[in-house]
Amino acid sequence: MGKDILGRIWRFYRDGFRNMTWGRPLWILVIAKLIILFLVLRLFFFKPALAGKSEAEKIEIVGNRFTATDSTDTNHKHQ
């Protein structure tokens, strides 16, 4: 029963994508836009913070970020 259902689902989507007229170019456009968007975001906004650092510097930076306390933390109650 499981294989039959999976086969029917696969054929449903396969036939649906085969018979698309406007859908195929639109999917290509969506995928191209996502790739471009993520490449631009990665290049200009999300540069690796640890690039060019030695192993010791990386360990210190990561350790400091994990152990640093945030003064704006609202979950911590001051007494």
Side-chain angles (χ1 to χ4, degrees):
M1 183 175 155
K3 277 191 161 187
D4 184 46
I5 290 174
L6 291 177
R8 286 176 32 203
I9 292 171
W10 167 252
R11 284 189 297 277
F12 173 78
Y13 281 103
R14 181 193 64 196
D15 295 342
F17 279 108
R18 267 191 197 157
N19 296 327
M20 282 185 181
T21 54
W22 280 99
R24 189 171 298 182
L26 290 176
W27 272 110
I28 292 171
L29 181 65
V30 166
I31 292 169
K33 286 175 76 172
L34 284 173
I35 290 170
I36 291 169
L37 177 72
F38 285 120
L39 285 175
V40 167
L41 287 175
R42 171 77 169 120
L43 288 174
F44 294 112
F45 297 108
F46 298 114
K47 295 186 180 191
L50 301 176
K53 306 247 189 277
S54 69
E55 284 299 313
E57 291 173 323
K58 289 178 184 180
I59 291 169
E60 183 179 346
I61 290 170
V62 172
N64 288 340
R65 289 196 181 164
F66 276 121
T67 59
T69 57
D70 187 4
S71 62
T72 62
D73 187 9
T74 57
N75 294 328
H76 181 36
K77 296 182 180 181
H78 298 283
Q79 293 181 354

